[in-house]
Amino acid sequence: MSVEQMFKDMTYKRCACTTAVLDEEGNPVVDDETGEPKLRYLEKTCPQLTRPNHGSWYYSFEVEPGADGKRRPRAKKGRYRTQEKAATDAKEAWNLAQRGVNVVSTETVETFLRRWIKAKKLELAKTTAHEYERDIDLYLAPHLGAVRLNKLRTDHVQEMINWFEEENERRTKHREKVERLKSACATANGAWRAAPKAEKAEKRALWTAARVEYEAERKQVRRVTGPNTLQSLKATLRSALSDALKQELVAKNYAALATWPKPVPVKPKLWTPQNVARWRRTGQKPYPVMVWTVDQTAEFLDSIRDDRLFSLWHLIIFRGLRRGEATALTWDDIDLKRGIVHVSHQLVSINYEVHEDTPKADSEGDVRLDQETVRLLKLWRKTQRAERKEWEQQGAWVDAGGRIFTQENGEGYHPQQLSDRWERLVDLSGLPPVRLHDGRHAAASIAFASGQDPKVVQAMLRHASRRTTMDIYTNVMPEMEQASAEASVALVALALERVRRAKAKKAKKKGKKPVAA
């Protein structure tokens, strides 16, 4: 028997024609309630099935017992127009079954994803689990949820990706339309205000109509789903289907086979004079991630030198700790004698609720402190102890488990509180805006400007590899080369000055006239 014939033998034809139910004597059986004859489907026995366009084709075959040895339902599917199509799908289903896939399961993608994330949360970091749940709720379940898991294919995933790209184009065009309406509204408003009294009513009516149209369209503006969001979806779906593959629920990891948009790496850029001028002119950051120059960082530190949390800002700016890592630090994590901070946990905010979690992947480790940071932390410890004594006398001290950076009453900081405070300090300084997280980038910029090797910067930032550090700071390093070169010259100039002073002092002792510089 040929392979083609084998799968054709798994097919059969049936229809929805009916005939009267007969009793043993051959008489129609009547329904007692309706008084109508009872009917039954002819299915495979319909005499008209020999006609090409009558009925539909189905396939059916026996499936191997499950791992528990129990017999499974037969694999069935129908409503095919041709026997060839039914046989083709029978072959595909049979091959999947031979590879261990449970082809008779009716579980949908959404049901599986909900079941998967419920178990997966036990081994994931809280922030990762939150991101996975968000991706499932907002994107994967709405687009793929209704598909049966064992029927999922690359085409389904690709259709979802294509929908996002097409929808993004529509949303971008709509945003452009809203901007045009906004401009037209502003023009109409100016025309109304500048119009002579006799024309004001007419101009006001035009402005009102323009404003109504603008407001109606503005309410319909939707955020574009960017490449980085799609990369997050890819990671979530790949992880889920990887586990489904291990459970023999799918034949392949179809998320890995689809073509996804390439992620757009967000690289920091310096607040050069040109970028600052553009910001002052437009009020907008020229790039998503901006970093101060060394001079701007020095200006900021000088402007906040009297802030209560100066030691915290100094630690972030010079040693590159993340916000959550700094807020989670305890005095047990730091060795001021050796000048080392051990980063082993962080505070994360999920829907504003704070959780303690492990650091980002490969970010756990030791960070060496400079002498100035050690000095500031020692002063801060004295301040904290004095505050504790005062608040304990009032019976109002809150024990935050030995956290280094606490409020006056000992209570720990919510990570967002630090971001809000940083933002206010930046605003008061008059400098261009930089996020608290970008203080970490400042640490790297200062390190590069001082001529440190990228390997040293990698260790400080606790990146997984030197390449990661180089990829992130490709845009910053060329602009820092001049500062590094100037720093080298300045270093030698200082040494030269010390040599000259020493020579002059020696010559003075011998009573000789100093050599002119």
Side-chain angles (χ1 to χ4, degrees):
M1 180 188 299
S2 67
V3 174
E4 290 76 10
Q5 187 59 45
M6 175 181 126
F7 292 110
K8 280 191 175 183
D9 287 347
M10 295 179 183
T11 65
Y12 60 92
K13 203 176 186 186
R14 55 176 286 191
C15 68
C17 294
T18 59
T19 187
V21 177
L22 304 177
D23 59 18
E24 294 180 355
E25 298 179 359
N27 299 316
V29 177
V30 178
D31 190 292
D32 294 335
E33 295 182 2
T34 64
E36 298 292 330
K38 289 185 177 182
L39 301 176
R40 65 177 179 84
Y41 289 108
L42 288 174
E43 297 187 336
K44 300 179 184 179
T45 62
C46 180
Q48 299 186 65
L49 286 178
T50 54
R51 295 168 50 188
N53 295 326
H54 189 81
S56 301
W57 286 95
Y58 292 74
Y59 72 75
S60 173
F61 61 85
E62 189 79 23
V63 178
E64 291 291 328
D68 55 4
K70 294 183 179 180
R71 184 177 181 181
R72 290 176 173 175
R74 293 179 67 85
K76 296 180 181 179
K77 190 177 179 183
R79 297 186 180 278
Y80 295 100
R81 296 188 62 182
T82 64
Q83 185 181 22
E84 287 72 20
K85 178 58 178 173
T88 299
D89 280 15
K91 180 181 179 180
E92 181 184 357
W94 188 84
N95 287 336
L96 289 174
Q98 295 302 112
R99 292 163 63 181
V101 177
N102 184 359
V103 295
V104 296
S105 172
T106 58
E107 185 176 42
T108 63
V109 171
E110 179 174 7
T111 303
F112 167 74
L113 289 175
R114 302 289 184 199
R115 176 169 64 84
W116 170 77
I117 191 59
K118 185 176 180 180
K120 195 74 173 178
K121 281 197 292 188
L122 300 176
E123 62 183 67
L124 293 174
K126 287 184 173 61
T127 49
T128 305
H130 177 68
E131 291 171 0
Y132 280 4
E133 286 186 304
R134 177 205 61 198
D135 291 344
I136 292 169
D137 291 340
L138 299 181
Y139 305 103
L140 298 177
H143 287 274
L144 301 174
V147 180
R148 274 176 51 175
L149 184 61
N150 56 20
K151 298 296 180 184
L152 183 68
R153 298 293 183 270
T154 307
D155 288 348
H156 295 107
V157 181
Q158 196 64 55
E159 285 174 8
M160 177 186 71
I161 298 169
N162 295 343
W163 182 90
F164 280 120
E165 293 183 339
E166 293 166 3
E167 182 64 15
N168 281 344
E169 290 182 12
R170 288 191 289 269
R171 293 181 181 185
T172 300
K173 289 180 180 178
H174 184 254
R175 282 178 177 271
E176 293 171 353
K177 177 183 177 181
V178 170
E179 287 299 316
R180 290 195 298 271
L181 291 175
K182 181 181 179 180
S183 178
C185 186
T187 301
N189 180 270
W192 164 59
R193 293 184 181 279
K197 188 174 182 180
E199 299 177 11
K200 275 195 176 292
E202 179 185 355
K203 298 296 184 182
R204 181 182 176 86
L206 292 173
W207 169 58
T208 300
R211 184 182 62 185
V212 169
E213 185 180 7
Y214 163 64
E215 290 293 341
E217 293 295 333
R218 185 176 66 85
K219 291 178 181 178
Q220 298 179 33
V221 170
R222 297 293 181 269
R223 184 176 65 85
V224 170
T225 306
N228 293 331
T229 299
L230 290 176
Q231 286 300 306
S232 177
L233 297 186
K234 178 182 179 180
T236 302
L237 190 57
R238 281 186 67 169
S239 180
L241 293 183
S242 176
D243 287 347
L245 194 59
K246 293 174 185 176
Q247 299 173 33
E248 298 182 341
L249 299 175
V250 293
K252 299 177 182 178
N253 192 326
Y254 300 106
L257 299 176
T259 303
W260 298 80
K262 291 184 178 180
V264 179
V266 179
K267 296 184 177 181
K269 291 183 177 291
L270 280 176
W271 275 114
T272 59
Q274 295 83 355
N275 287 333
V276 173
R278 177 180 172 185
W279 165 69
R280 296 196 186 282
R281 186 176 66 254
T282 65
Q284 296 179 345
K285 292 169 62 175
Y287 301 99
V289 180
M290 300 298 298
V291 184
W292 286 323
T293 63
V294 174
D295 288 349
Q296 291 164 340
T297 303
E299 184 179 344
F300 177 69
L301 288 170
D302 185 57
S303 73
I304 63 168
R305 62 186 180 278
D306 295 326
D307 186 74
R308 179 175 174 274
L309 292 178
F310 181 76
S311 57
L312 169 62
W313 312 132
H314 191 280
L315 178 65
I316 290 175
I317 287 174
F318 282 95
R319 308 320 300 164
L321 265 68
R322 299 178 178 88
R323 178 186 75 171
E325 295 168 347
T327 50
L329 281 179
T330 67
W331 288 110
D332 292 334
D333 297 324
I334 192 166
D335 185 341
L336 292 178
K337 290 183 178 180
R338 297 171 58 204
I340 293 176
V341 168
H342 182 62
V343 180
S344 59
H345 45 285
Q346 66 173 337
L347 297 185
V348 296
S349 175
I350 300 176
N351 297 326
Y352 207 75
E353 184 179 345
V354 178
H355 303 271
E356 185 168 323
D357 207 350
T358 55
K360 293 181 68 174
D362 301 317
S363 287
E364 185 174 348
D366 292 340
V367 177
R368 290 207 164 270
L369 302 177
D370 56 278
Q371 292 182 0
E372 178 62 12
T373 301
V374 170
R375 184 185 72 82
L376 290 170
L377 287 172
K378 286 179 178 178
L379 290 175
W380 169 250
R381 185 167 57 182
K382 290 180 180 179
T383 300
Q384 190 183 62
R385 285 173 177 173
E387 289 175 346
R388 175 169 186 165
K389 184 177 180 180
E390 181 181 348
W391 283 83
E392 280 182 338
Q393 289 175 351
Q394 302 175 29
W397 176 260
V398 178
D399 187 358
R403 298 243 187 256
I404 294 179
F405 300 106
T406 59
Q407 303 179 50
E408 290 87 341
N409 67 343
E411 186 177 353
Y413 280 103
H414 188 292
Q416 188 58 43
Q417 287 178 290
L418 297 183
S419 292
D420 293 341
R421 185 167 184 155
W422 170 277
E423 188 175 331
R424 287 196 299 272
L425 291 171
V426 172
D427 188 49
L428 290 171
S429 73
L431 289 163
V434 163
R435 303 174 306 165
L436 176 55
H437 182 76
D438 297 336
R440 176 174 168 82
H441 296 310
S445 299
I446 293 170
F448 283 127
S450 65
Q452 291 188 37
D453 187 272
K455 192 69 178 177
V456 176
V457 182
Q458 174 209 334
M460 179 183 70
L461 298 178
R462 289 157 289 127
H463 285 155
S465 66
R466 179 177 173 175
R467 180 177 179 179
T468 301
T469 306
M470 299 296 287
D471 286 346
I472 294 175
Y473 295 104
T474 301
N475 293 338
V476 173
M477 289 180 64
E479 295 174 320
M480 284 298 182
E481 286 177 355
Q482 181 63 36
S484 179
E486 297 294 341
S488 299
V489 173
L491 187 65
V492 174
L494 287 173
L496 180 60
E497 183 64 26
R498 287 195 300 271
V499 169
R500 286 173 175 172
R501 283 199 302 266
K503 285 183 177 180
K505 187 175 181 180
K506 188 176 181 181
K508 187 176 181 181
K509 283 183 178 181
K510 292 182 177 181
K512 295 181 180 180
K513 186 177 179 180
V515 179

